[in-house]
Amino acid sequence: MVKIGNVLYHNRNWLFPIVYLFLFIPFTQVFEHPNTAMIIGFIVAIIGQATRIATIGLVYIIRGGKNRRVYAEDLVTTGIFAHCRNPLYVGNILMLAGLGIASNSLLFIAVIIPAFLFIYQAIVRAEEDFLSNKFGKGYDEYTKDVNRWLPSLKGLGNTLSSMDFKWNRVIIKEYNTTFIWLLGGLGVLYMHFFRNPDLYNIAEHKVFFIAAFAAIVAFYFIARYLKKAKIIVSD
């Protein structure tokens, strides 16, 4: 599993965008009405985004690796990492699962989400192997107290209130992920309008889709400019 995780980690930059394409492949529906799928799915996705925002706003951990290999300079155990060892990945999974549910595709829910979970499990095992070898007993003790996937809510209120939340770091570190899932969500919404003309009048909502797309793109470029121009800087 560790070897598989290292391979997947090395290739994840092109692997995950491919997963998004499956959102738009016509397939058997899960829910009778697309509204049900979208309500449930978007709620799950928003919870995932909120998880990532809370994690990054309190304390940030570098997940990009080094030379596309698993790497870490420090062992982060504070903030949301005191409640879950992989909160950023949990957020990613919830966002993708939410979009999959919203797409109302049995293919995505029954095949792609389980495959995505396997990919993350393998990547996490590779990261854990690296962290255990580098940080030794300190990391092993951390894993005994904190779950790999299921977040513990015990003491979460104290964690949130006792640390400084930094929105500047959220904007700089999270704008790209937010842009991708919002664009995916808008695409899923448009897909349902396009495929169900008997339920939705897409012509009447043309202005909404154009405005929403423009707002998402504007958010991306404004955040990117603020970062590149160093108008907003992270710690």
Side-chain angles (χ1 to χ4, degrees), residues 207-229:
V207 174
F208 164 78
F209 282 107
I210 293 174
F213 178 78
I216 293 171
V217 173
F219 159 77
Y220 173 82
F221 282 105
I222 290 173
R224 180 178 174 84
Y225 170 76
L226 293 174
K227 176 183 177 180
K228 296 297 182 181

Side-chain angles (χ1 to χ4, degrees), residues 184-204:
L186 184 64
V188 168
L189 182 62
Y190 184 86
M191 175 187 70
H192 284 304
F193 271 68
F194 182 79
R195 292 179 182 172
N196 298 280
D198 54 325
L199 297 176
Y200 313 109
N201 189 328
I202 197 169
E204 292 181 356

Side-chain angles (χ1 to χ4, degrees), residues 48-109:
Q49 177 67 94
T51 300
R52 285 186 58 88
I53 289 175
T55 302
I56 295 171
L58 293 178
V59 59
Y60 185 66
I61 183 173
I62 298 174
R63 286 289 191 181
K66 189 175 184 180
N67 298 323
R68 293 204 294 172
R69 297 177 182 273
V70 177
Y71 180 80
E73 293 183 357
D74 302 303
L75 178 60
V76 179
T77 61
T78 58
I80 304 301
F81 291 96
H83 301 270
C84 177
R85 300 203 311 257
N86 301 282
L88 292 176
Y89 288 165
V90 170
N92 287 349
I93 291 169
L94 288 174
M95 284 192 290
L96 187 77
L99 290 179
I101 295 170
S103 72
N104 205 17
S105 166
L106 181 61
L107 171 66
F108 201 96
I109 294 174

Side-chain angles (χ1 to χ4, degrees), residues 83 153-162:
H83 301 270
L153 300 180
K154 184 179 180 180
L156 181 60
N158 291 333
T159 298
L160 296 174
S161 62
S162 64

